[in-house]
Amino acid sequence: MEKEPLLQLRVFDLNCWAIRYLSKLRQERVQMIADTLSQEGYDLVLLQEVWSETDYRTLKQRLSACYPSSHYFRSGVIGSGLCVFSKYPILDTFLYQYSLNGYPYMLQHGDWFCGKSVGLLVLKIQEIVFNIYVTHLHAEYCREKDAYLPHRVVQAWELGQFIQHTSKAADVVLLGGDLNMHPEDVGIRLLRGWTGLRDSFTDAERFEGCEDGCTLVPDNYFTNKKELQPFPLGIRIDYILYKGQSNFAVKCDRLVTTTGKAPGKSIPYSDHEAVIATLYVKRHGEAKAPNSNTVEPALVDIMNEARTEVRVGLHAAQRQRYSSGRMAILALLLLLLQAVMGLSSLVGWASPQPFPKFSFSVLGSLAVLVLLVSGVLHIFHAIEVKVLQGTEDQMRLALQSLQDRLSTK
């Protein structure tokens, strides 16, 4: 006879698209989100892109009666945008900022300034320890020429490693957020394969919402229709993933996504659709070790594919490091040449004014500017190279361990 579930957990996940001064109808939508969360009374709320702490304080004030525990994860220049609201006491929190997160000179994208991260909070519900993770990975922007794919793969790997190394004492692991990856992308396959996390959409016994579980759909008033032209139904990039450990099992009874407009409203909550999962936690008869996941041969192929993407990014970073270093050296040589010419005119080795003073000053200023910019870029790309090399080394060791385990089966 099947055991009754010990616990039901209703989880709400949403990328709020609340960018101060830029997002349309931001304050109205934040109020809508607060109204819905207070009415529905979910057990756990995971939000991304709450960039303004003012919006977080508004939500916290409105939701304090229903969700007495909350936390805002601060990171980067403008913040991680991650926050959580819980019916149950939050026992502990931790933030890990990803090593790579785009480029500071790509101002039109801005991911680097956000300090993309993963936030961890620990809950204890009916003596069951939950490790809850909320994250937001680097955006894609252009699928055909995705310059950020290596960075996103590194983020997926670091996220998987972070979950593996921090969840050993947990009974249940849950991850929610905007992963900016399609279900078939190498990053999400690597994350799921490495951690053993299950997808609430594929495992749900009942589903209601957008076709194929899409969370970025053309029917949404705020989405960029041009970007979604190759995907008539939309794309699925927001996830609720989970797994049970020790002697606990988790299943998704029901998964719901919003479908364009918020229920009973004329506008959506965000440019993303909300994902709402109803999870049941059950107890197994026998305990199992947290790291007892069987090794699937397909994981070896996924690891090789991910290493290939990291190597591609490594070669590109090395080229950029070389180019910026060469530019810095040329600017430095130009400055030295100008210094020699200036000293020569002072001591009488050359004509008093080999160049007009204004032109000489402008040229010197430009050389200083190029030296500073190229020097900073060289340092940035040198760090990028080191991170990619380190990630590739980690993947190589992990792959070797997987192959050894498969050979002994």
Side-chain angles (χ1 to χ4, degrees):
M1 182 176 178
E2 188 178 1
K3 293 184 178 181
E4 290 296 318
L6 289 174
L7 177 70
Q8 174 185 282
L9 194 72
R10 297 176 67 224
V11 183
F12 179 95
D13 176 84
L14 176 65
N15 179 322
C16 298
W17 189 52
I19 308 171
R20 201 169 188 177
Y21 308 120
L22 295 178
S23 297
K24 298 176 182 178
L25 303 175
R26 175 181 60 86
Q27 293 176 321
E28 293 89 335
R29 292 187 292 104
V30 168
Q31 294 296 334
M32 284 171 48
I33 293 169
D35 290 340
T36 298
L37 294 179
S38 60
Q39 291 167 9
E40 292 293 335
Y42 299 104
D43 297 297
L44 185 66
V45 176
L46 308 174
L47 303 180
Q48 306 92 51
E49 289 203 12
V50 182
W51 300 118
S52 169
E53 291 196 38
T54 302
D55 289 339
Y56 167 70
R57 286 192 291 268
T58 299
L59 288 168
K60 184 177 180 179
Q61 184 178 7
R62 290 283 310 278
L63 301 175
S64 58
C66 301
Y67 306 91
S69 293
S70 64
H71 187 75
Y72 187 81
F73 292 97
R74 294 170 174 85
S75 176
V77 178
I78 64 173
S80 69
L82 306 174
C83 62
V84 294
F85 296 88
S86 171
K87 273 188 175 181
Y88 303 96
I90 297 174
L91 304 181
D92 197 8
T93 63
F94 187 77
L95 180 77
Y96 174 77
Q97 186 171 333
Y98 297 120
S99 301
L100 292 180
N101 187 37
Y103 305 102
Y105 50 83
M106 299 297 286
L107 299 177
Q108 73 275 27
H109 295 156
D111 291 69
W112 186 85
F113 298 93
C114 305
K116 293 291 179 69
S117 312
V118 52
L120 162 66
L121 59 146
V122 180
L123 306 178
K124 195 171 186 179
I125 309 172
Q126 297 181 15
E127 301 304 313
I128 303 172
V129 178
F130 287 78
N131 268 28
I132 310 296
Y133 301 86
V134 58
T135 193
H136 185 193
L137 302 191
H138 199 294
E140 187 175 67
Y141 296 112
C142 179
R143 193 160 181 83
E144 290 74 25
K145 296 180 180 179
D146 188 2
Y148 301 110
L149 178 56
H151 285 210
R152 205 159 45 253
V153 170
V154 170
Q155 290 179 347
W157 171 253
E158 290 183 347
L159 174 58
Q161 287 284 72
F162 182 73
I163 292 173
Q164 284 289 81
H165 290 290
T166 58
S167 64
K168 293 178 181 179
D171 298 314
V172 175
V173 177
L174 188 145
L175 167 66
D178 176 4
L179 301 184
N180 274 311
M181 295 183 288
H182 299 215
E184 69 276 8
D185 287 353
V186 61
I188 189 69
R189 289 185 286 119
L190 174 67
L191 173 63
R192 290 191 57 203
W194 188 245
T195 59
L197 291 170
R198 304 181 67 85
D199 187 351
S200 57
F201 172 72
T202 57
D203 285 3
E205 295 188 1
R206 294 177 292 160
F207 173 73
E208 300 171 24
C210 300
E211 191 169 349
D212 295 334
C214 293
T215 58
L216 211 60
V217 297
D219 290 340
N220 188 301
Y221 171 74
F222 296 118
T223 54
N224 187 325
K225 308 300 186 288
K226 184 177 180 181
E227 290 180 357
L228 290 176
Q229 280 182 353
F231 310 98
L233 297 178
I235 56 178
R236 182 161 75 97
I237 58 176
D238 300 88
Y239 298 83
I240 295 177
L241 309 176
Y242 58 85
K243 69 174 179 178
Q245 298 190 138
S246 59
N247 59 339
F248 292 93
V250 185
K251 75 170 185 177
C252 182
D253 178 66
R254 183 169 179 253
L255 187 76
V256 177
T257 69
T258 51
T259 54
K261 293 180 181 179
K265 304 292 183 179
S266 60
I267 59 173
Y269 294 121
S270 168
D271 59 343
H272 288 240
E273 302 304 320
V275 182
I276 304 111
T278 302
L279 306 176
Y280 286 124
V281 180
K282 295 184 178 182
R283 189 186 295 273
H284 279 311
E286 296 181 359
K288 60 179 181 178
N291 295 323
S292 63
N293 296 330
T294 57
V295 179
E296 297 292 340
L299 183 55
V300 174
D301 297 330
I302 296 171
M303 289 287 294
N304 279 317
E305 187 178 348
R307 283 184 70 196
T308 300
E309 295 297 344
V310 170
R311 286 197 202 100
V312 170
L314 176 59
H315 294 325
Q318 287 172 331
R319 289 194 300 268
Q320 290 171 321
R321 180 185 62 177
Y322 172 76
S323 299
S324 57
R326 182 176 59 181
M327 186 63 68
I329 291 172
L330 290 174
L332 181 60
L333 290 175
L334 179 58
L335 279 175
L336 291 175
L337 178 61
Q338 286 187 289
V340 170
M341 293 173 64
L343 288 173
S344 298
S345 63
L346 286 175
V347 299
W349 293 346
S351 59
Q353 286 187 328
F355 293 104
K357 287 184 178 180
F358 178 76
S359 301
F360 196 77
S361 300
V362 169
L363 187 61
S365 300
L366 287 175
V368 170
L369 179 62
V370 171
L371 176 61
L372 290 175
V373 172
S374 56
V376 170
L377 289 178
H378 180 75
I379 293 172
F380 175 83
H381 289 300
I383 295 172
E384 182 186 17
V385 166
K386 294 297 183 184
V387 172
L388 288 165
Q389 287 174 334
T391 302
E392 204 274 332
D393 287 341
Q394 293 173 30
M395 288 182 171
R396 176 178 51 79
L397 291 173
L399 184 58
Q400 182 179 345
S401 176
L402 287 175
Q403 291 170 335
D404 291 342
R405 289 164 65 184
L406 282 172
S407 64
T408 57
K409 288 180 68 175

